[in-house]
Amino acid sequence: MGPTPVEAETGARPSWRHGVTGRLIALMALLVVAGGVGDTASPVLVTHTPLLLVALNPRARNVLLASRAVGVAPLLAVALVRRLLAVPVVYRLGRIHGVATLTWVDRRLPRTGRWTRRVERWFDRAAVPVVVLLPGAVTSYLAGSTGMGEIVVLVLSAIGTLARLVVLLAVGVALASPLTWLLRFIADHQVSLLALSIAVTTVYGVRSWRRLRRAAAPASVELVGRADDAPAGDAHPAAEDAVTSP
């Protein structure tokens, strides 16, 4: 495997990537934790501070529920910015590690690997439309690994994300009555729903952590971003960095 785009431009060797990868993984972890907090506290947040809920986790259901209480402009702005926060982080991981991470995902996380490889095939055929139609982590990583300009990726991702949000808000208008009923139900049962949400999040978090630990087991892990001429100890997979970083 040849050098990644960053190595080709700077002549840097793979050993420097540990620190950078660790910082990028830490940023991604913060976004994941924020999303988990938003999901867990959603029965309370959606009733009292719906815009904060979207800022923590801008998934579709949260945007739909918040649309009944928040104006269109602030809701679009917060949801757009929050969804785009991960784009430069994942893009830079792609610039550093190239497609080697996808090989690791194929071997250790087959279900995810099948999806990423499918998107990769689409990306190879028509990169710009795919980034617009599927803005997010996979296309951002692929864009970074192929050397597409970061500003271009941000702009294309913003266009695609904004289009999705506009459609989502239109759906919210069409479903105004059931969404209003659901918000009343949540408000009337906040305590019990919060307890259930905490329990579900805890179980899901433990299972996800165990799965990641198994995938990143040192005995069977595939080194990520390893150049042909680099010593075997110079690189670690992104997922292992996520597990072992403080």
Side-chain angles (χ1 to χ4, degrees):
M1 182 181 63
T4 62
V6 170
E7 290 167 8
E9 292 173 5
T10 65
R13 292 182 64 82
S15 58
W16 66 272
R17 291 182 292 192
H18 289 295
V20 178
T21 297
R23 288 190 289 273
L24 293 172
I25 291 295
L27 289 174
M28 285 301 300
L30 285 176
L31 294 177
V32 171
V33 169
V37 170
D39 261 354
T40 303
S42 59
V44 175
L45 295 177
V46 76
T47 301
H48 301 287
T49 54
L51 198 57
L52 176 59
L53 172 61
V54 174
L56 290 171
N57 193 328
R59 67 169 66 218
R61 73 182 184 215
N62 295 338
V63 174
L64 281 173
L65 290 171
S67 68
R68 304 313 308 152
V70 179
V72 171
L75 183 57
L76 280 177
V78 170
L80 178 62
V81 171
R82 176 60 178 83
R83 289 191 176 193
L84 291 177
L85 285 179
V87 169
V89 179
V90 181
Y91 172 89
R92 290 174 190 185
L93 285 170
R95 291 281 287 180
I96 293 169
H97 293 292
V99 296
T101 298
L102 301 183
T103 301
W104 183 88
V105 170
D106 285 342
R107 296 184 179 182
R108 306 304 301 158
L109 303 169
R111 186 187 306 173
T112 303
R114 284 193 293 271
W115 168 246
T116 57
R117 288 303 185 183
R118 186 178 300 124
V119 176
E120 184 184 23
R121 289 194 294 272
W122 297 338
F123 185 90
D124 289 341
R125 295 171 185 168
V128 170
V130 170
V131 175
V132 173
L133 293 173
L134 297 173
V138 177
T139 50
S140 297
Y141 188 94
L142 290 170
S145 69
T146 58
M148 181 182 288
E150 186 173 8
I151 299 301
V152 174
V153 176
L154 275 170
V155 170
L156 295 175
S157 298
I159 292 171
T161 301
L162 185 59
R164 286 186 168 203
L165 289 171
V166 169
V167 171
L168 195 58
L169 292 184
V171 172
V173 172
L175 299 177
S177 295
L179 287 174
T180 300
W181 175 87
L182 182 57
L183 284 170
R184 289 201 200 101
F185 178 85
I186 294 172
D188 292 340
H189 301 84
Q190 285 184 64
V191 175
S192 57
L193 289 174
L194 180 61
L196 177 62
S197 180
I198 292 173
V200 170
T201 299
T202 301
V203 171
Y204 179 78
V206 170
R207 292 181 62 185
S208 297
W209 176 255
R210 288 176 177 173
R211 182 185 179 206
L212 183 58
R213 288 298 296 266
R214 287 196 301 269
S220 59
V221 76
E222 181 78 16
L223 295 180
V224 170
R226 178 175 167 187
D228 290 336
D229 59 347
D234 279 353
H236 289 284
E240 185 180 9
D241 287 343
V243 173
T244 58
S245 295

